[in-house]
Amino acid sequence: MNFEKTNKNLFLSFWPEFKEIVSAQETYAFDPDMSQQQAYSIWVEQPLESYVLVENDIVLGSYYLKANAMGPSNHIANCGYMVSKHARGQGVARQLCLHSQQRALTLGFKAMQFNSVVSTNEVAIRLWQKLGFDIIGTIPKAYQHKTKGLVDSYIMYKWLAEKDL
């Protein structure tokens, strides 16, 4: 497996997975009817960086990395992660998160924050906590889950230190 910066072709190969994840309306607050170009813009063009994890020419997962805020808060990174349904349970999300933390440090970020981790996404929450993220806030009824209705979202945060990665 290797990481590659996301380009148009790599994104297009991951687009069916991206669309399926967004359409499920279980983890991402993206418009389920967004176009491929809108998705590419949000995931690849607007962030500072976007990477895919590839094995045998198949994209297993992807993440974007950007500043969480501007000005005096631009030392905090923000990331989003997606894993192909065929690659779940194989440590791909862990690899994506660890790689993104290293990239964040390289780019000069001091911390990382996830602004809206859907409370029903228990597998991701457990992984982020194992990787040193804390829940620092709850946003009540912040996410309209497709099957569970209004559910809470969490704000998760980690101060990045090289020795922790």
Side-chain angles (χ1 to χ4, degrees), residues 73-87:
S73 291
N74 69 0
H75 63 284
I76 301 172
N78 175 264
C79 289
Y81 310 89
M82 288 190 184
V83 176
S84 164
K85 68 180 175 188
H86 305 294

Side-chain angles (χ1 to χ4, degrees), residues 55-135:
E55 182 177 55
N56 299 324
D57 296 323
I58 297 171
V59 176
L60 303 178
S62 180
Y63 76 86
Y64 69 79
L65 172 66
K66 64 182 182 179
N68 193 55
M70 297 183 294
S73 291
N74 69 0
H75 63 284
I76 301 172
N78 175 264
C79 289
Y81 310 89
M82 288 190 184
V83 176
S84 164
K85 68 180 175 188
H86 305 294
R88 292 188 187 142
Q90 299 175 28
V92 171
R94 172 183 290 276
Q95 290 182 64
L96 293 171
C97 188
L98 291 173
H99 189 266
S100 70
Q101 289 177 67
Q102 287 290 350
R103 291 298 308 147
L105 283 168
T106 299
L107 292 168
F109 290 103
K110 306 292 184 207
M112 188 172 283
Q113 180 173 312
F114 306 145
N115 296 323
S116 184
V117 180
V118 179
S119 62
T120 55
N121 193 354
E122 295 171 358
V123 172
I125 292 164
R126 279 193 305 274
L127 175 59
W128 305 153
Q129 289 175 322
K130 284 180 188 174
L131 294 176
F133 287 83
D134 294 313
I135 296 172

